[in-house]
Amino acid sequence: MITIQGLRKKFGSLQVLNDLTLQIPAGQATGIVGPNGSGKTTLIKHLLGLVKPDAGCIEVNGVHLNGSYEYRRHIGYMPQMAQYPENMKVRELIDFIIQMREEEPVFEEELIALFELEKEMQKPLRVLSGGTKQKAGALLALMFDPRILILDEPTAGLDPRSSYQFKQWIKREKDRGKTILLTTHIMSEIEELADHLILLVEGQVRYHGRQSDFIKSNEEQRLEGAVAKILQEVSV
Ligand SMILES: Nc1ncnc2c1ncn2[C@@H]1O[C@H](COP(=O)(O)OP(=O)(O)OP(=O)(O)O)[C@@H](O)[C@H]1O
């Protein structure tokens, strides 16, 4: 369970998160959607301790985030745009992270095979295509079998086959009881993967609840139509 209470964050004069109070249930998948710049990545970065809030508190599995980073061992984070040491080879990066964590990976071989990364392992990160970097990011996020998965636009840049296989993996992890939080602009992905929906607009929660209830209450068949309806309402 992730609990967020009264979270506020300003960058300069821009109020990016405006009094967010949310509970993200354990063992289920929650999708965060919202327009560009609505604060999705900023919210995720707070959960990882990468951004300091102006006000409010966050608890992850009962641990209050107050500067200790130990809880992050249990989180697999796939950033929207990962920055890796450019001259390191993929193999070297994986080995470096294994050494730092002093922990054996659980799914290294399976993920290398899933994403067909065998032939990329000896290449420096700077020469990889965007999608291949994304696959390396997925491998790093998932290989230690973390309890919580935080995925920021995880399939952006993946080819259809890799995207399909990645989603199958996420579904399996969900069935294994993992807590999953993901952002994406692909509404069908949220329909496929998420039980719960958080709709953020200008740093505020416009909806938080079951996604099926959200679609129904907006008298739509699909999530895309329901989200578009709300965003149309708030823009007028
Ligand atoms: N470090 C920063 N300094 C200043 N402004 C920032 C910083 N990080 C984010 N912002 C601003 O905060 C707002 C929210 O950004 P954020 O990346 O959280 O949005 P998002 O909902 O994830 O957007 P997208 O859908 O485009 O990925 C944007 O206006 C962005 O420019």
Side-chain angles (χ1 to χ4, degrees), residues 11-12 14 16 34-43 45 80 152-153 185 200:
F11 286 122
L14 182 69
V16 178
N36 295 128
S38 53
K40 302 179 296 296
T41 297
T42 306
L43 170 59
K45 286 185 175 171
Q80 195 174 3
D152 198 352
E153 299 193 33
H185 291 294
L200 276 190

Side-chain angles (χ1 to χ4, degrees), residues 163-229:
S163 171
Y164 174 79
Q165 282 167 333
F166 179 76
K167 285 187 285 185
Q168 295 301 106
W169 185 285
I170 298 302
K171 284 181 195 168
R172 192 195 71 174
E173 291 302 286
K174 197 173 113 173
D175 292 343
R176 291 178 68 224
K178 299 298 174 67
T179 303
I180 298 168
L181 186 64
L182 90 148
T183 75
T184 175
H185 291 294
I186 307 168
M187 295 301 107
S188 60
E189 248 170 39
I190 299 277
E191 286 177 324
E192 229 180 303
L193 299 174
D195 313 289
H196 295 271
L197 177 75
I198 295 169
L199 173 59
L200 276 190
V201 180
E202 294 179 356
Q204 288 189 308
V205 179
R206 285 294 305 214
Y207 178 81
H208 179 210
R210 296 201 71 81
Q211 67 148 316
S212 50
D213 294 342
F214 179 74
I215 297 171
K216 226 182 281 167
S217 65
N218 283 288
E219 295 171 350
E220 289 286 336
Q221 302 295 318
R222 302 292 304 268
L223 182 61
E224 190 171 43
V227 170
K229 202 178 226 177

Side-chain angles (χ1 to χ4, degrees), residues 5 36 55 57 64-65 70 75 83 101 120 125 144 169 231:
Q5 187 77 43
N36 295 128
C57 62
H64 181 61
L65 269 57
E70 182 52 27
I75 298 181
Q83 306 280 346
R101 288 183 63 121
E120 313 291 344
L125 285 139
F144 292 103
W169 185 285
L231 297 185

Side-chain angles (χ1 to χ4, degrees), residues 48-51 66-74:
L48 294 154
L50 299 173
V51 173
N66 57 3
S68 154
Y69 289 101
E70 182 52 27
Y71 75 99
R72 275 173 46 182
R73 287 186 82 80
H74 306 297

Side-chain angles (χ1 to χ4, degrees), residues 73-74 91 94 97-98 101-113 138-147 149 169 172-173 176 178:
R73 287 186 82 80
H74 306 297
R91 180 71 265 164
I94 295 169
I97 289 175
I98 292 172
R101 288 183 63 121
E102 298 178 332
E103 190 181 338
E104 281 306 308
V106 180
F107 293 129
E108 182 188 350
E109 296 308 322
E110 288 96 323
L111 288 161
I112 289 173
L139 168 77
L140 297 174
L142 303 173
M143 72 178 178
F144 292 103
D145 195 17
R147 282 186 228 153
L149 299 177
W169 185 285
R172 192 195 71 174
E173 291 302 286
R176 291 178 68 224
K178 299 298 174 67

